[in-house]
Amino acid sequence: MPNVTLFHNPRCSKSREALALLQDAGCQIDIIEYLKTPPDAATLKQLLSQLQLTPRELMRTKESEYKAQGLDNPALSDDELIAAMVATPKLIERPIAIVNDEAVIGRPPEKVLTLL
């Protein structure tokens, strides 16, 4: 089984389900609790490249912080959105599983198994 890096929030049911699926599959898992150790801008840019997403597509747009910080403004640059996720990691969609150069968002949780 491959080594999997998982950006994980233990309070999120989808994140817990994805972790359980990877454990059941016998994967070696490096867990990053991204709320405790948020990714920096360079890491987020790498993740976005691996996920083939724009910064806004990686954001949890229904979080109160999204609206409160004015992040729904379409004029904001990618760098501004990335800076917002670095400052407020709660805005990052989860869970994110990475194997080698491939990454997926585990929504639904079973999607993480596509990397195996």
Side-chain angles (χ1 to χ4, degrees):
M1 278 291 126
N3 189 44
V4 179
T5 299
L6 186 68
F7 282 81
H8 176 63
N9 177 352
R11 295 185 62 205
C12 170
S13 64
K14 300 292 184 212
S15 198
R16 289 192 309 268
E17 287 176 43
L19 177 59
L21 287 168
L22 292 169
Q23 288 171 329
D24 290 348
C27 295
Q28 172 77 27
I29 307 163
D30 295 323
I31 298 171
I32 298 171
E33 288 191 33
Y34 68 94
L35 294 178
K36 291 181 181 177
T37 51
D40 60 17
T43 301
L44 278 176
K45 286 179 183 180
Q46 176 67 31
L47 277 173
L48 289 165
S49 174
Q50 291 171 306
L51 291 164
Q52 299 179 356
L53 295 176
T54 65
R56 197 174 302 279
E57 290 172 322
L58 185 59
M59 297 181 92
R60 298 177 56 82
T61 58
K62 293 184 176 139
E63 293 290 342
S64 59
E65 291 86 350
Y66 182 81
K67 194 95 168 153
Q69 294 179 32
L71 299 172
D72 53 348
N73 179 349
L76 292 174
S77 70
D78 285 355
D79 285 340
E80 289 171 312
L81 295 173
I82 289 168
M85 287 187 276
V86 169
T88 312
K90 182 179 180 183
L91 292 167
I92 302 169
E93 189 58 84
R94 63 190 179 252
I96 301 170
I98 306 161
V99 174
N100 300 320
D101 289 333
E102 291 184 71
V104 296
I105 295 175
R107 292 194 172 263
E110 294 78 17
K111 199 166 179 189
V112 299
L113 298 177
T114 65
L115 295 173
L116 307 184

